[in-house]
Amino acid sequence: MRQKIEMKVFLEVYPPHEWSDQDRVLTEMAKEIMHKAHAPYSDFLVGAALLLDNGKMFAANNQENVSFPVGVCAERAVLSYAIGNFPESRPVKIIIVAKKREAGRYATVTPCGLCRQTINEYEVKFDAPIQIMMLSPNGDLLLAQSIEALLPFRFNDLNA
Ligand code: THU
């Protein structure tokens, strides 16, 4: 090996007393809709809440299907709906919460590969980072400042 190409990534940790008012509202929205998930196959409930730069907030949950790959994650559900309706409004932040049904505490959910690529798509569309916050089991929010922290060496240019 002659050379190494390295990318360092990190998550920031925010305990509840450091959350912004918007973080609190988005987290509550995500928790509330998480309980309405259609997840009879995995029993893994996910809620995602999204803030757009027009100030509007949206939330969605995972929707599973008996033909498993047809299911949709909470993140892609909320992104499709919000940006589908407000195609000129930049997504600022997405907060994700998850819990196994009947579990006593939240699970940390970092977006799956398909959702990472989807978030990347909207960073490219709006030429701006999207903050991704994930509720951890101990109640802190973990923050990725951009999808780049979760998808290093991402694919985003057909002409590069
Ligand atoms: N799921 C999400 O909604 N978001 C993620 O980031 C990870 C996984 C859903 C998909 C499926 O309904 C269930 O969680 C178990 O994988």
Side-chain angles (χ1 to χ4, degrees):
M1 182 183 66
R2 282 206 212 130
Q3 212 187 332
K4 197 162 82 173
I5 301 173
E6 193 174 340
M7 195 181 289
K8 287 203 175 129
V9 300
F10 60 89
L11 301 178
E12 297 169 37
V13 181
Y14 286 91
H17 69 269
E18 290 182 20
W19 297 2
S20 68
D21 289 345
Q22 276 173 331
D23 292 343
R24 285 178 214 290
V25 174
L26 288 166
T27 303
E28 273 317 304
M29 288 173 70
K31 283 181 177 175
E32 193 183 327
I33 205 156
M34 181 195 79
H35 290 289
K36 299 178 190 164
H38 176 62
Y41 308 106
S42 71
D43 278 331
F44 193 72
L45 312 177
V46 186
L50 183 74
L51 170 68
L52 299 183
D53 73 350
N54 61 8
K56 290 190 189 297
M57 295 178 183
F58 299 88
N61 49 29
N62 52 328
Q63 294 293 318
E64 296 186 349
N65 192 282
V66 64
S67 176
F68 292 177
V70 177
V72 180
C73 293
E75 297 93 317
R76 275 175 294 140
V78 75
L79 283 161
S80 296
Y81 182 81
I83 300 172
N85 278 282
F86 295 93
E88 309 305 332
S89 297
R90 178 174 62 85
V92 175
K93 176 181 288 196
I94 185 166
I95 292 188
I96 307 155
V97 308
K99 192 184 256 186
K100 189 82 179 167
R101 205 190 303 278
E102 314 297 354
R105 59 178 199 163
Y106 290 92
T108 302
V109 70
T110 65
C112 79
L114 289 180
C115 290
R116 292 178 196 210
Q117 189 65 31
T118 303
I119 294 168
N120 172 69
E121 182 70 19
Y122 297 120
E123 285 201 359
V124 173
K125 171 175 158 91
F126 292 96
D127 194 22
I130 299 171
Q131 294 186 317
I132 302 144
M133 290 189 113
M134 299 149 283
L135 190 66
S136 74
N138 72 3
D140 295 336
L141 280 169
L142 310 181
L143 170 66
Q145 288 287 0
S146 157
I147 196 60
E148 192 144 33
L150 301 179
L151 197 59
F153 303 109
R154 58 193 171 157
F155 171 62
N156 63 9
D157 190 347
L158 285 176
N159 303 307

